[in-house]
Amino acid sequence: MARKIIIDGKEIEAEENITLLQACEQAGAEVPRFCYHERLSVAGNCRMCLVEWVGAPKPQASCALQVKDIFPNKDGTPAKINTNSPYVKKAREGVMEFLLINHPLDCPICDQGGECDLQDQAMAYGRANFHRFNENKRAVENKHMGPLVKTIMTRCIQCTRCVRFATEVAGVPDLGATGRGEDMEITTYLEKAFASELSGNVIDLCPVGALTSKPYAFNARPWELRKTESIDVMDAQGCNIRVDARGREVLRVLPRLNEEINEEWASDKARFACDGLSRQRLDKPYVRKHGKLVPASWADAFATIAARVSETKPERMAAIVGDLAAAEEIKALKDLMTAFGVVNLDCRQEGAKLSGPRPAYLFNTTIAGVDAADALLLIGTNPRWDAPVLNARIRKAWINSSLKVANVGVPVDLTYPVEELGTNVSVLEQLADGSHPFAAVLKAAKRPMLIIGNAALTRADGAALYKLAARIAAETGMIGPAGTPAEGGWNGFNVIHTAASRVAALDLGFLPGQGGRDVAAIVDGAQKGEIDFIYSLGADEFPTDKIGRAFVVYQGSHGDAGAHNADVILPGAAYTEKDGLYANFEGRIQEAQRATFPPGDAKEDWAILRALSDVLGRRLPYDNIEALRAAIVAQAPQYAVLNRAPVHGGADPAVWNAIGADGPLEATQPLVPAIADFYLTNPIARASRTMAECSRVFVHGDHAMAAE
């Protein structure tokens, strides 16, 4: 229901349930604020958003009033609100004077300088010519919040944004306030590290320099940085990010606003692993001679590969795609291998038993669609580590609705209540035949959904569990009408990937051909001497030390496990050093843009494969990235449209019957987590000192409280 209000002389109609501050902004007024944030509960404690309600005895905090609280005048005319009158300006100047009583003059050495809300508002409402307070300034000791968040708490203005974020969004009540009045301090519980995979977001939320990035401290000013819009590849959610670089070095990564994917949050791995982009880099080709890798020219490296390929039969060759590859190099490698007749191709390093048409391996509900779900079954996934920003979305749905969540797998703290159904996979059969109590919850729900993860899909009986998940979806009414959730369509069957390259590789058919081997069979064949040549496109997550005497070509950006066991190394580009298309687990196609150039002699990955194809005598039919993307679109037409989630096409039995395979369950084997360490899941993260410290503190338990 709407209500009429006159704001700065302009009459508008505003919804009754929005705040007066939001109504003022809809009318085009700019209202300063420190404590108010659109995604957090209202605190109303900074008072910077004061406005004049004509007829009221004092200024009003516009964030703490809803439009329905603004009643009409006695004569029935709409209430008048002024946001820029002298009365309002004087009130805000008084608030600013209070805020600056104890705030130190740290601007020249503060990392928030140039991006500080307090600086910006002080320019408009600060008084430079006098002050009325002669008391000593208050000083507050800095607090320990772990290896990521640096604290200078004397700068804190007690807006409590960080406390509300930790409690409401991250679901980790590690932050709070002690004391009252002038003695109030924001702190962690007994100086304990802020244990959340989303902790870095408090840096963006802090309106002053009290909470800043510890790894980025004193590195650069914002106006020195070149800002590039990109896509995060630390997981498969495809969070929108901004890469800030100076020269050839990436100094920080920040989230970008995208309501349908990550809102305005980013995981700590996406934000802080960027120091790994400049460490342990491959910057020149290498060839193994007499058991030792030695630097070589591109021509020598290509000639060595060509000599080996010329003497190897196609059935004894294989190729594996890693977790960080873009669609362009996946397509180029697939075309090159197909030109030789190689069918031993795979992108599933961890051995996930994925099959079927495109909806069978997507997150069909869509990330934004999670908001509408009212029942959720988790199968072999820990979304807090698999996709932390998605987990925050699930928590948001639980807060705003009656979402019921059940988990089949190892119990973990997901930041919301979960009904634990155990680690025995036989419970899935009970859910499929309706004999389990939670099956009734799913059937009664209007929009039920399930998420199956790698802990289930990578088991020996993963195909059978995959099939059972599809049966549960069919039996409990998860596959609803066609269309998007906003249009009333619904598809509750979801696969959650952890590899940024996975959906694109599946879309482009980088899977074993007729009679081809998967990753496990490739490794087994290499041990037995049946596979002689392996082309690894940044693949570091399979047992690279168990490939016997096979000749390995490793093309990648970092000297990780794959490079250690290679015979030829071709230095590629990291995700910030190339233009590339990535498909997130929804199937949404997004473009990452180049922020810096690769180091040394390293090249863009698709260009390496194009040049190699000439030497091998199987020239690829594209000379630039536009022609390559045209070839991708010709094979997978969905890549012609960027930034749009696929539309659910309805309950087609042919799709859902093709998922997985019937087979016995290994009921005696419990579902175990697929990720052992959230902070060290890929070569970039493993090269990062910051992620190594996070692993030590948060995963391996080296975060004893001060009281201990």
Side-chain angles (χ1 to χ4, degrees):
M1 187 174 176
R3 178 173 292 189
K4 290 183 178 180
I5 310 178
I6 298 175
I7 298 176
D8 293 338
K10 181 193 297 183
E11 183 176 306
I12 69 163
E13 284 194 0
E15 289 295 323
E16 286 192 337
N17 291 327
I18 67 172
T19 64
L20 178 57
L21 188 152
Q22 290 171 309
C24 290
E25 291 194 330
Q26 287 181 9
E30 184 176 343
V31 181
R33 82 293 299 269
F34 293 115
C35 68
Y36 177 79
H37 192 276
E38 290 82 354
R39 302 189 195 281
L40 305 176
S41 61
V42 174
N45 55 3
C46 80
R47 320 308 284 181
M48 196 64 207
C49 64
L50 293 176
V51 298
E52 179 186 9
W53 181 358
V54 177
K58 60 181 181 179
Q60 305 293 311
S62 59
C63 72
L65 281 176
Q66 289 184 306
V67 171
K68 63 184 176 185
D69 300 323
I70 310 299
F71 48 82
N73 297 321
K74 291 182 179 179
D75 59 0
T77 58
K80 294 182 179 180
I81 305 294
N82 293 326
T83 68
N84 56 9
S85 64
Y87 178 74
V88 171
K89 190 173 189 300
K90 183 178 180 181
R92 291 175 182 170
E93 286 175 349
V95 171
M96 179 60 68
E97 194 174 357
F98 276 115
L99 289 173
L100 295 178
I101 291 173
N102 290 309
H103 196 80
L105 297 176
D106 276 352
C107 297
I109 61 164
C110 178
D111 273 315
Q112 197 81 343
E115 299 173 316
C116 177
D117 292 351
L118 187 62
Q119 274 185 336
D120 295 342
Q121 300 305 332
M123 289 293 292
Y125 301 105
R127 292 176 175 176
N129 53 347
F130 76 100
H131 65 90
R132 292 176 285 182
F133 297 94
N134 296 314
E135 291 82 1
N136 292 330
K137 286 184 179 290
R138 182 189 66 159
V140 180
E141 288 187 6
N142 296 335
K143 305 298 187 292
H144 171 66
M145 289 192 184
L148 302 178
V149 182
K150 179 183 177 183
T151 63
I152 298 102
M153 300 311 292
T154 300
R155 301 171 184 163
C156 178
I157 61 172
Q158 286 92 38
C159 71
T160 70
R161 280 186 181 182
C162 56
V163 176
R164 285 175 284 148
F165 172 83
T167 304
E168 298 165 13
V169 179
V172 180
D174 282 351
L175 295 183
T178 61
R180 298 182 66 185
E182 191 180 24
D183 296 325
M184 178 179 172
E185 297 182 16
I186 304 296
T187 183
T188 56
Y189 177 66
L190 292 180
E191 296 282 323
K192 172 181 173 291
F194 185 8
S196 169
E197 297 77 19
L198 299 170
S199 65
N201 292 289
V202 300
I203 297 167
D204 297 339
L205 289 172
C206 184
V208 294
L211 305 178
T212 57
S213 170
K214 190 173 285 187
Y216 176 69
F218 308 126
N219 272 356
R221 288 300 193 185
W223 54 84
E224 299 178 85
L225 303 176
R226 185 176 62 255
K227 303 167 179 64
T228 307
E229 295 184 351
S230 191
I231 304 299
D232 172 43
V233 300
M234 295 295 114
D235 57 38
Q237 185 165 346
C239 294
N240 288 207
I241 59 172
R242 192 187 82 196
V243 179
D244 287 359
R246 183 177 60 189
R248 301 185 74 135
E249 185 179 5
V250 173
L251 294 181
R252 66 175 181 179
V253 170
L254 299 176
R256 285 189 292 130
L257 178 68
N258 190 316
E259 295 289 353
E260 295 184 348
I261 300 176
N262 58 302
E263 297 180 308
E264 59 188 80
W265 315 127
S267 73
D268 288 346
K269 188 163 50 174
R271 187 186 293 265
F272 294 109
C274 58
D275 63 315
L277 290 166
S278 58
R279 300 183 69 245
Q280 299 183 18
R281 289 303 302 269
L282 300 173
D283 59 357
K284 63 184 69 173
Y286 288 85
V287 174
R288 190 176 297 275
K289 295 182 179 179
H290 309 296
K292 186 177 180 180
L293 285 166
V294 296
S297 66
W298 280 103
D300 289 344
F302 284 170
T304 304
I305 297 170
R308 192 60 183 243
V309 169
S310 66
E311 61 188 35
T312 307
K313 296 179 179 179
E315 61 268 21
R316 301 179 72 88
M317 297 170 62
I320 303 173
V321 162
D323 291 351
L324 305 183
E328 287 84 354
E329 52 258 32
I330 296 171
K331 171 65 173 171
L333 182 57
K334 171 79 184 309
D335 288 352
L336 181 59
M337 291 294 108
T338 302
F340 281 98
V342 178
V343 294
N344 302 316
L345 310 174
D346 205 359
C347 62
R348 304 161 300 180
Q349 292 187 81
E350 71 290 294
K353 311 298 190 297
L354 293 163
S355 62
R358 195 168 196 246
Y361 54 80
L362 294 184
F363 197 93
N364 295 288
T365 299
T366 71
I367 297 166
V370 170
D371 295 343
D374 50 1
L376 169 60
L377 174 65
L378 302 173
I379 305 171
T381 179
N382 172 8
R384 186 168 171 181
W385 276 12
D386 292 349
V389 179
L390 173 69
N391 193 64
R393 196 105 188 197
I394 297 173
R395 174 176 168 79
K396 175 185 171 184
W398 168 73
I399 289 174
N400 295 331
S401 68
S402 57
L403 177 66
K404 297 180 177 65
V405 185
N407 177 48
V408 180
V410 176
V412 290
D413 178 13
L414 294 177
T415 71
Y416 41 84
V418 177
E419 181 183 341
E420 298 294 346
L421 305 185
T423 61
N424 192 321
V425 295
S426 61
V427 72
L428 296 177
E429 293 179 315
Q430 301 172 31
L431 288 164
D433 61 28
S435 61
H436 193 280
F438 197 77
V441 175
L442 293 172
K443 288 180 180 179
K446 292 181 179 178
R447 290 189 175 90
M449 60 181 287
L450 66 80
I451 302 175
I452 184 168
N454 278 344
L457 295 171
T458 56
R459 290 163 48 107
D461 58 352
L465 297 180
Y466 195 27
K467 188 81 170 179
L468 267 178
R471 272 186 57 201
I472 293 170
E475 295 295 332
T476 56
M478 289 184 187
I479 315 300
T484 65
E487 298 167 345
W490 189 255
N491 185 341
F493 181 84
N494 301 293
V495 176
I496 186 168
H497 302 283
T498 56
S501 66
R502 185 61 45 81
V503 171
L506 294 171
D507 285 345
L508 297 172
F510 208 98
L511 293 167
Q514 186 69 31
R517 299 171 181 256
D518 61 12
V519 168
I522 290 170
V523 173
D524 182 62
Q527 285 180 312
K528 294 177 179 177
E530 298 168 357
I531 296 292
D532 296 330
F533 179 94
I534 299 175
Y535 200 106
S536 170
L537 184 59
D540 299 277
E541 315 306 327
F542 73 101
T544 57
D545 57 337
K546 297 181 180 179
I547 51 178
R549 300 174 63 85
F551 184 90
V552 177
V553 177
Y554 178 82
Q555 178 181 328
S557 60
H558 284 69
D560 206 72
H564 293 167
N565 297 282
D567 295 285
V568 175
I569 294 175
L570 305 178
Y575 75 102
T576 57
E577 298 160 1
K578 60 189 175 186
D579 295 324
L581 298 178
Y582 293 90
N584 73 347
F585 53 54
E586 297 174 296
R588 185 192 304 262
I589 317 302
Q590 301 183 101
E591 182 179 14
Q593 299 182 35
R594 182 172 61 195
T596 60
F597 288 91
D601 293 333
K603 309 292 183 186
E604 292 190 41
D605 292 279
W606 77 266
I608 294 173
L609 290 159
R610 168 64 183 79
L612 177 60
S613 71
D614 263 345
V615 178
L616 297 180
R618 300 290 196 280
R619 183 172 184 172
L620 295 175
Y622 24 78
D623 296 328
N624 53 55
I625 197 168
E626 290 77 16
L628 174 53
R629 288 182 176 174
I632 292 173
V633 171
Q635 180 181 348
Q638 64 268 24
Y639 282 74
V641 181
L642 300 183
N643 305 316
R644 184 185 302 171
V647 177
H648 162 51
D652 183 356
V655 172
W656 307 106
N657 291 338
I659 294 177
D662 292 318
L665 299 182
E666 296 185 358
T668 58
Q669 297 293 323
L671 276 173
V672 295
I675 296 178
D677 191 330
F678 167 74
Y679 298 98
L680 304 175
T681 55
N682 61 63
I684 297 174
R686 286 191 288 270
S688 165
R689 289 175 176 169
T690 306
M691 292 296 97
E693 179 66 9
C694 288
S695 174
R696 184 183 68 81
V697 172
F698 296 118
V699 177
H700 299 290
D702 189 12
H703 60 284
M705 291 185 294
E708 299 175 346

